Amino acid sequence: MEANGDTSACNGYSDKQRKDVRVWCDGCYDMVHFGHANSLRQAKALGDKVIVGIHTDEEITKHKGPPVFTEEERVKMVKGIKWVDEVVLGAPYVTTLKVLDQNNCDFCVHGDDITMTAEGVDTYHLVKSANRYKEVKRTAGVSTTDLVGRMLLLTRNHFRQGSAEYDIEKEDSAAKSPWTGCSQFLPTTQKIIQFSDGKSPNPGDKIVYVAGAFDLFHVGHLDFLEKAKKLGDYLIVGLHTDPVVNSYKGSNYPIMNLHERVLSVLACKFVNEVVIGAPYCVTEELLEHFKIDVVCHGRTPIALENGKIDPYAVPKTRAIFELIDSGNEMTTERIVERIISHRLEYERRNQAKEKKEIEAFEALQRQKQTQKAG
């Protein structure tokens, strides 16, 4: 459905006087990932300001099951996405015209999947009926349900080497939701361009470099990058390849493959550029190529390359290395611990969501067939 968005022509505004088009998006935003960010990017393209409503823990638990992250963590993550202008906590699970009007929003935007209450009601039926709803394409290949599923399957072979480096193994199932029962994420250069600022450093900018896995991009990463950005003007993040991450993280890490991690980091408002597949050791060549002024690392332990080489030896010799305390104790491992410690709860949540979405999809298909026959 098309929304009645404001334009300068139909409202008699000149370009300078034109009223900002305010776009409303809402959701749980649990385990914020590049799929959420891509939806918000598309929403921003439909207006001037993106206002994001976030459901409370209580509402999410009632309709979907327990969230992985707290309200505070979810709000912080959404605020860190570069296309978000305002965040509102306490958004109702069913989007109403009242909530749009209270936040001066012209219309609501959501992905082309179906979101339902615990009772099976379309959460956007009111704004759809009022013609104040627009749809964008959801990002195939990722969802919170899918990421939780990966962590629940950590005993399986998530991490692969060689030709299967970027594969994420999926649990076999006879029936999968077309929305959250994800297929393999397929990266493209266009998607990276859409997420990238495309801006080079200005002459005289102080350039800061950090590197790591940044797996399951979370509030700890966000706080660290915010502090790193304050040390300069332009922040470059080096992302290690999957085999390199596995060499120092072990187990079945990383949970997200390199391409997924690139988009998650690029969506962060503090990040200007990403080096895809950065070398583990920060070399003279890398420092010279990017004209780096400061190299940072967090308080997490630094693994030696081959058990003996300090990856930050060169910047330390140059006296441009700094340790940053983000003040946040969150790690990727802690997120996995949250999921594993509540394994049965999250398994039930995932299964219930899959079942509900399959039923909704089948009903939608029947409706389309009926309309076609009529």
Side-chain angles (χ1 to χ4, degrees):
M1 294 184 184
E2 291 295 321
N4 297 322
D6 291 313
T7 63
S8 56
C10 68
N11 289 294
Y13 291 110
S14 69
D15 286 342
K16 289 184 179 179
Q17 296 172 317
R18 184 178 69 84
K19 172 184 174 289
D20 279 348
V21 174
R22 290 169 61 86
V23 181
W24 176 264
C25 299
D26 57 27
C28 305
Y29 296 97
D30 196 19
M31 298 250 341
V32 172
H33 50 70
F34 63 90
H36 293 123
N38 193 38
S39 175
L40 295 169
R41 178 191 66 79
Q42 293 178 83
K44 186 66 174 260
L46 297 174
D48 302 295
K49 301 282 186 183
V50 171
I51 294 79
V52 180
I54 299 178
H55 308 316
T56 62
D57 291 348
E58 184 181 11
E59 279 280 87
I60 296 170
T61 301
K62 175 184 174 184
H63 295 285
K64 290 180 67 174
V68 178
F69 287 102
T70 65
E71 290 171 9
E72 181 184 4
E73 290 166 338
R74 292 185 288 112
V75 166
K76 181 181 281 190
M77 286 299 293
V78 173
K79 282 183 176 179
I81 296 173
K82 63 173 69 171
W83 299 287
V84 174
D85 297 287
E86 298 172 28
V87 173
V88 178
L89 179 62
Y93 208 75
V94 174
T95 309
T96 64
L97 298 178
K98 181 180 178 181
V99 80
L100 295 188
D101 293 338
Q102 282 177 337
N103 291 280
N104 299 313
C105 290
D106 298 272
F107 53 87
C108 171
V109 169
H110 190 259
D112 55 1
D113 51 327
I114 293 178
T115 307
M116 294 173 293
T117 66
E119 296 75 30
V121 176
D122 180 354
T123 58
Y124 295 102
H125 74 282
L126 297 174
V127 289
K128 285 178 180 177
S129 298
N131 205 32
R132 292 177 68 180
Y133 175 84
K134 287 189 178 184
E135 261 182 16
V136 294
K137 292 291 291 180
R138 75 171 296 277
T139 307
V142 67
S143 73
T144 299
T145 304
D146 178 52
L147 293 177
V148 168
R150 295 185 197 181
M151 285 179 274
L152 289 172
L153 293 171
L154 264 179
T155 52
R156 300 280 291 277
N157 184 27
H158 279 289
F159 174 77
R160 314 251 182 105
Q161 298 240 10
S163 62
E165 177 179 343
Y166 301 117
D167 288 350
I168 292 292
E169 184 172 305
K170 297 289 187 276
E171 184 178 18
D172 295 329
S173 174
K176 279 287 186 184
S177 162
W179 299 300
T180 54
C182 296
S183 58
Q184 175 70 31
F185 169 66
L186 299 174
T188 63
T189 53
Q190 181 62 32
K191 188 60 63 190
I192 293 174
I193 290 168
Q194 288 171 342
F195 272 58
S196 174
D197 286 337
K199 296 176 183 175
S200 300
N202 294 317
D205 275 355
K206 188 176 182 181
I207 299 174
V208 182
Y209 179 78
V210 302
F214 293 92
D215 192 16
L216 294 176
F217 194 80
H218 54 69
V219 287
H221 295 137
L222 189 67
D223 286 342
F224 168 69
L225 292 174
E226 182 176 13
K227 290 201 171 182
K229 182 63 177 281
K230 287 177 180 176
L231 295 177
D233 307 293
Y234 192 91
L235 178 61
I236 301 174
V237 178
L239 286 177
H240 300 144
T241 64
D242 297 356
V244 169
V245 174
N246 185 255
S247 71
Y248 63 81
K249 287 278 190 182
S251 185
N252 286 317
Y253 293 100
I255 304 296
M256 298 180 82
N257 68 42
L258 177 60
H259 299 308
E260 295 174 312
R261 292 184 283 119
V262 166
L263 293 185
S264 295
V265 172
L266 275 176
C268 176
K269 66 182 181 181
F270 304 118
V271 176
N272 298 103
E273 184 62 285
V274 167
V275 180
I276 304 171
Y280 187 64
C281 283
V282 180
T283 62
E284 292 278 3
E285 291 79 10
L286 186 144
L287 295 176
E288 291 298 328
H289 180 81
F290 293 106
K291 303 189 185 311
I292 294 163
D293 298 292
V294 184
V295 176
C296 304
H297 192 274
R299 293 289 178 180
T300 53
I302 299 173
L304 301 179
E305 186 174 53
N306 299 323
K308 54 187 177 181
I309 303 171
D310 181 354
Y312 294 99
V314 173
K316 285 177 180 178
T317 301
R318 286 194 179 193
I320 62 169
F321 179 76
E322 290 198 34
L323 281 175
I324 294 177
D325 185 355
S326 70
N328 194 313
E329 298 297 319
M330 181 60 72
T331 63
T332 301
E333 290 78 10
R334 287 195 173 193
I335 296 171
V336 174
E337 284 171 12
R338 285 188 188 185
I339 299 296
I340 299 301
S341 64
H342 296 88
R343 176 185 291 271
L344 293 178
E345 269 185 293
Y346 287 117
E347 281 180 344
R348 282 194 294 268
R349 186 183 103 162
N350 275 15
Q351 288 166 3
K353 184 172 174 60
E354 287 274 8
K355 184 173 182 290
K356 198 158 59 171
E357 288 185 342
I358 290 167
E359 289 171 352
F361 180 73
E362 290 173 347
L364 192 63
Q365 295 300 103
R366 287 195 297 272
Q367 183 182 0
K368 286 181 179 178
Q369 288 173 356
T370 302
Q371 289 171 345
K372 197 173 181 180

